[in-house]
Amino acid sequence: DEFISSPPRKTVRFGGTLSEILLKYEKGDTTDFELLKHQLSDPDIKDAQIINWLHEFRASVAYLTKELEQLVNILLKLPWLRRSREVVEEYLGFLGNLVSAQTVHLRPCLRMIVSQFVPPRITIREDDVDISDSDDDDENISENFNTCHRALQTVARYVPSTPQFLMPILVEFFPFINKSERTLECYVHNLLRVTVYLPTLRLQILELIIEKLLKLDVSTPQQDIEDAEETANNSASEEKSTEEGLFDMEEDEDRKGSKVVSPSTERMAHPLAERLDILMTILFSYIKDVCHVDGKLDISNTKDLYRDLVSVFDKLILPTHASCHVQYFMFYICSFKLGFAEAFLDHLWKKLQDPNNPSVIRQTAGSYIGSFLARAKFIPIVTVKACLDLLVNWLHKYLDNQDTGANAYCDVALHGPFYSTCQAVFYTLIFRHKQLLDGNLRKGLSYLQSLNFERIVMCQLNPLKICIPSVVNLFAAITRKYQLVFCYTIIERNNRQFIPVVRSGTGGDLVQTCTNPLDSFFPFDPYILKRSKKTIDPMYQFWEELSAEDLENLKTPIKKGTSEDEDDDFLKGETPQNDGVVEIAPNSYESNTRSPVSSIGSPADCYVPYPL
C-alpha cells in the first residue's frame, strides 16, 4: 500500500513521456526512440528507472504491436528477477497487461520465463580462458524460481491457451545432458512444478522428462557404472593408505576404529550416472508428494498419476531395450497400494497375450512380469500364485495349439513370447519357491505339481535351450530338489547342440557361444544409483548367495511323501531378505554373447551337478 500511494522517485531521463516517444516514432522521428532503447538496455539501470518505465509501458500496451517487437524484446531482457520487490511486482503487472492486450508477444514472454528455470550463467576466467557455467551459489535462486512460477501463472490466467504454446518451449529449453548437475536438477524440478498449476500439461511434461532420463540411462550401462565405482574406490583406498603411511601417529589407531562417511560417498563416480541419480531422486519425490496428502495416500490423485505413468511406460519404456533404472518409477508407484501393482501386472499380461502386439513388445512384457513378481516385496504370495496360474495356463494352451502344427520346433523368431513367458515363470519360481512351500509343504508341493512343469520343459519347443543359463540351472536344481521335473538330461543334450559362433575381427577370430538367443533382460535387476536407491531398497527383494549347505540340499531330492512336520533346512529356511548377503551374479544385459557374471544381486550362474 505504501508503494502504491507514494509518488515515484525522480530519476534522470530524456526524450519526454513514452506516448510522445512512440508517436514521434510512428511519424518517422526515431531519435528519442533509439535513446529509449539505449536507456532500457543500460546494464547499470536503477530500480527507480525500471519502475517508472514499466509504469508508463503498462499504460501504453496498446501501442506495443508487432511492429515494436524489438522494443518488447528489450523489455523482456530487463534484469527484473534480481531486483527489489517493487520492481518484481511492477514487472509482473506489466507482463499481465502485455499478454492480455497483445497476445502476439505471448511466445517471447513464455521463452523469457522458461529461460529463468535454470541458475544464471556466470563467466569464470581461468588461464586467459572464459569458462561459462551455472551460478550454483546464488542464494536467492529458490525465491527467483518462485517468482518465475508466479509470472507463468499470471500469463496463464490472462491467456487460457498458454499451455499449448508453452510445451514446445519447455522442450526447446531442456538442457543438454552434459550441462552441470545443478542445471539439470533445477530445470526438471521446475518442470514438475509447472504440472501442479497447469495439470493439462502433466502427461506431456512427464513424457519429456522420462524421455531425457531414458537417454541418460541407456548411455550408462550398468557395467560402466560398476567399473567407475570400482576404480574410484580403488583410488580412494590408495590415497588413504598413502596418508596412513605418511602420518604414522598413535591417533591413527583410533581413527581406523571409527569410520567417517563423507558426503562424497553419495556421489556416483560416473558423471552421467550422477546426473541420473539426482533426477531419479527428484522424480521419486514428485511421485510421493502427488500421491500423498498430509502424509496419507490419496487414492484419486494416485490413480490419475498412475494412468499418466502407465501411458509414458507404454510409449517410451516398453519399447526400449535394456534400460536399467528409469522403469523403477512404475515399481515405486505400485508399492503404494496392492491394487496398483495388480493393475500393472494385468496391464502387462494383456500386452503379453495379445497377438496383435509386436513380438518384441510381448517378450518385454513377459520380462517385466517375471522381474516384477520376483523382486517386489510388496506383492503377496497369493498374487504371485494367481499370476503363475495365468502364465502357466497360457503356456499349456500355447502348447495345445502347437502340438499338431508344422511350427512345433525350437525357434525364437516363431515363439518369442512363449520363451519369454517360460523364463518369467522360471525366474519367479527361483525367487518365490520358499514362500510357495512355506507353512504347508504338502499343499505347496501339490500346487507346484499342478502346474505341470514337466510338459513345458519336455515339449518340442525346448524352452531350456532358449532361456538364460543362470535361470535354467537354478530352476533345474530347485525342480529336481522337489521332484517336479528332471531337467538335466535336456540341459546336457542342449549343451551338446550349441554351435560356437566364429567372428573375425582385427584382433583375430573370436569364438563365442550365444547364451541369450532371446536377447532378454530383467528390467528390475538391482538398482545401483546411490541416492535414489534408498527409496527402492526397502521394498526390493535381493538375492542371497546360496550357502554351501543350500547347494548341498539342492543336490539331495526330498523323499516322496515327506511329512509336513519333518524339518528340512532348505524348505523351512527364510525367504531371501533385504539385509542378506548380496552376491555378484548374472547381468542379463550382456548375456547375448556370454554367460552373465557381472550384475549385483541376481541369481548366480551356478551349475548344480546331477548324479550320474
Side-chain angles (χ1 to χ4, degrees):
D1 293 338
E2 284 179 27
F3 168 68
I4 292 169
S5 59
S6 62
R9 284 172 289 176
K10 290 183 179 179
T11 57
V12 178
R13 52 179 286 184
F14 308 95
T17 64
L18 179 63
S19 54
E20 290 171 0
I21 295 171
L22 295 179
L23 283 170
K24 284 182 184 179
Y25 178 72
E26 282 182 9
K27 293 174 182 176
D29 183 357
T30 61
T31 308
D32 289 347
F33 185 77
E34 292 300 325
L35 189 61
L36 168 65
K37 290 195 321 188
H38 180 73
Q39 288 182 33
L40 290 172
S41 304
D42 183 4
D44 298 322
I45 190 169
K46 302 291 189 293
D47 282 10
Q49 288 176 297
I50 294 178
I51 290 169
N52 277 344
W53 279 123
L54 288 174
H55 194 70
E56 287 197 50
F57 273 109
R58 287 182 70 177
S60 308
V61 287
Y63 294 105
L64 299 178
T65 56
K66 177 73 172 172
E67 286 69 32
L68 293 177
E69 186 177 13
Q70 191 181 14
L71 179 61
V72 172
N73 286 338
I74 291 172
L75 287 167
L76 294 178
K77 288 176 183 174
L78 279 173
W80 63 283
L81 261 182
R82 290 155 193 86
R83 297 281 179 157
S84 63
R85 184 180 65 85
E86 290 85 355
V87 172
V88 168
E89 295 303 323
E90 190 68 36
Y91 198 86
L92 290 175
F94 163 71
L95 278 180
N97 288 11
L98 179 65
V99 295
S100 58
Q102 303 285 352
T103 51
V104 69
H105 299 303
L106 176 62
R107 276 197 185 92
C109 288
L110 293 176
R111 290 172 68 86
M112 179 275 295
I113 296 169
V114 173
S115 69
Q116 305 290 342
F117 277 2
V118 293
R121 301 197 68 74
I122 54 171
T123 302
I124 308 164
R125 195 161 183 80
E126 287 185 10
D127 300 328
D128 298 326
V129 178
D130 288 342
I131 300 171
S132 175
D133 200 1
S134 60
D135 182 7
D136 295 344
D137 299 324
D138 189 345
E139 294 176 0
N140 300 318
I141 194 166
S142 180
E143 187 182 334
N144 290 342
F145 288 154
N146 289 340
T147 308
C148 285
H149 289 288
R150 277 187 63 202
L152 198 50
Q153 285 171 275
T154 301
V155 172
R157 190 164 60 246
Y158 284 111
V159 186
S161 60
T162 294
Q164 71 188 69
F165 291 98
L166 177 62
M167 196 60 220
I169 293 168
L170 295 178
V171 174
E172 179 189 344
F173 276 83
F174 203 105
F176 293 113
I177 58 172
N178 59 349
K179 294 293 183 185
S180 72
E181 293 100 340
R182 183 66 174 152
T183 298
L184 286 162
E185 178 185 9
C186 290
Y187 194 78
V188 168
H189 189 270
N190 284 316
L191 283 188
L192 291 171
R193 280 187 68 175
V194 171
T195 67
V196 176
Y197 54 84
L198 294 178
T200 56
L201 285 182
R202 184 168 74 181
L203 177 57
Q204 294 176 71
I205 286 176
L206 285 171
E207 218 171 88
L208 171 62
I209 291 170
I210 289 168
E211 182 186 9
K212 300 295 183 182
L213 290 178
L214 205 51
K215 286 180 181 175
L216 267 175
D217 201 6
V218 296
S219 302
T220 51
Q222 202 161 357
Q223 189 60 53
D224 289 2
I225 297 174
E226 290 169 9
D227 290 345
E229 289 299 317
E230 188 178 349
T231 304
N233 290 338
N234 290 342
S235 57
S237 301
E238 286 172 13
E239 285 176 19
K240 189 177 177 184
S241 60
T242 306
E243 284 176 14
E244 287 177 358
L246 286 171
F247 305 101
D248 189 13
M249 302 178 182
E250 291 179 9
E251 290 88 346
D252 284 351
E253 294 302 317
D254 301 327
R255 192 171 58 190
K256 285 176 191 173
S258 59
K259 206 173 185 180
V260 180
V261 180
S262 65
S264 62
T265 56
E266 287 237 318
R267 282 188 68 86
M268 299 297 297
H270 195 295
L272 293 183
E274 171 68 8
R275 288 165 174 76
L276 183 61
D277 193 9
I278 291 168
L279 299 184
M280 287 301 294
T281 304
I282 293 171
L283 183 59
F284 288 152
S285 299
Y286 172 78
I287 292 170
K288 183 180 180 182
D289 289 347
V290 169
C291 296
H292 292 80
V293 177
D294 300 325
K296 293 182 179 178
L297 184 68
D298 186 295
I299 298 297
S300 177
N301 287 357
T302 310
K303 276 183 181 178
D304 292 340
L305 182 59
Y306 171 83
R307 288 190 195 100
D308 285 346
L309 290 177
V310 164
S311 175
V312 177
F313 176 84
D314 284 350
K315 185 174 180 180
L316 298 176
I317 304 292
L318 206 54
T320 303
H321 181 68
S323 59
C324 302
H325 300 98
V326 180
Q327 58 265 27
Y328 270 89
F329 66 78
M330 286 307 306
F331 193 96
Y332 184 50
I333 195 169
C334 288
S335 71
F336 294 160
K337 193 172 177 64
L338 179 60
F340 294 110
E342 290 177 340
F344 184 50
L345 285 165
D346 183 60
H347 179 75
L348 292 168
W349 164 240
K350 286 171 181 171
K351 293 273 182 194
L352 172 64
Q353 66 170 347
D354 185 358
N356 294 318
N357 284 327
S359 180
V360 66
I361 296 295
R362 297 174 68 191
Q363 287 171 222
T364 307
S367 297
Y368 270 94
I369 291 172
S371 199
F372 192 56
L373 288 173
R375 295 297 195 171
K377 272 187 176 181
F378 48 83
I379 296 181
I381 201 65
V382 177
T383 305
V384 174
K385 286 175 76 172
C387 290
L388 281 176
D389 287 340
L390 273 177
L391 295 170
V392 172
N393 285 338
W394 184 84
L395 289 173
H396 284 301
K397 284 181 183 175
Y398 192 93
L399 291 176
D400 289 341
N401 295 332
Q402 294 298 322
D403 278 349
T404 55
N407 294 328
Y409 57 89
C410 184
D411 190 329
V412 176
L414 287 173
H415 310 294
F418 171 82
Y419 294 123
S420 182
T421 307
C422 286
Q423 186 159 278
V425 170
F426 299 165
Y427 193 68
T428 304
L429 186 72
I430 290 167
F431 272 85
R432 297 285 197 160
H433 70 274
K434 289 183 181 179
Q435 289 169 277
L436 287 165
L437 295 164
D438 196 26
N440 189 326
L441 175 60
R442 187 171 295 168
K443 193 175 177 183
L445 281 174
S446 175
Y447 169 73
L448 290 177
Q449 286 163 358
S450 73
L451 298 177
N452 194 3
F453 285 126
E454 187 170 6
R455 184 190 180 207
I456 295 167
V457 166
M458 301 290 184
C459 73
Q460 291 294 313
L461 304 187
N462 195 358
L464 298 185
K465 185 176 182 179
I466 301 300
C467 295
I468 292 174
S470 55
V471 173
V472 168
N473 287 329
L474 271 171
F475 173 77
I478 290 164
T479 51
R480 177 183 168 277
K481 169 73 183 175
Y482 301 112
Q483 297 191 359
L484 299 171
V485 60
F486 192 79
C487 303
Y488 288 106
T489 309
I490 299 170
I491 291 172
E492 282 300 306
R493 188 182 69 211
N494 290 338
N495 288 342
R496 287 194 296 270
Q497 290 174 354
F498 265 129
I499 302 171
V501 179
V502 180
R503 296 183 181 177
S504 297
T506 52
D509 290 344
L510 176 66
V511 179
Q512 294 181 331
T513 304
C514 182
T515 57
N516 186 4
L518 199 56
D519 198 23
S520 57
F521 71 107
F522 304 115
F524 297 116
D525 259 359
Y527 193 97
I528 60 173
L529 302 176
K530 292 179 184 176
R531 291 181 191 83
S532 45
K533 81 192 294 287
K534 292 174 186 173
T535 303
I536 299 300
D537 279 1
M539 60 194 72
Y540 187 78
Q541 180 66 70
F542 284 93
W543 173 261
E544 284 188 356
E545 184 176 5
L546 289 174
S547 64
E549 188 179 356
D550 280 345
L551 284 169
E552 195 59 40
N553 280 332
L554 280 176
K555 297 176 193 175
T556 312
I558 60 168
K559 295 174 184 176
K560 289 275 186 183
T562 301
S563 160
E564 291 176 31
D565 300 324
E566 285 185 30
D567 288 326
D568 186 309
D569 292 337
F570 185 74
L571 274 177
K572 302 293 182 185
E574 294 183 9
T575 54
Q577 293 300 315
N578 187 22
D579 55 355
V581 181
V582 176
E583 178 198 5
I584 299 203
N587 182 354
S588 51
Y589 305 107
E590 295 183 355
S591 52
N592 58 327
T593 55
R594 59 186 172 83
S595 184
V597 289
S598 58
S599 173
I600 298 175
S602 296
D605 192 2
C606 68
Y607 177 71
V608 184
Y610 62 92
L612 296 170

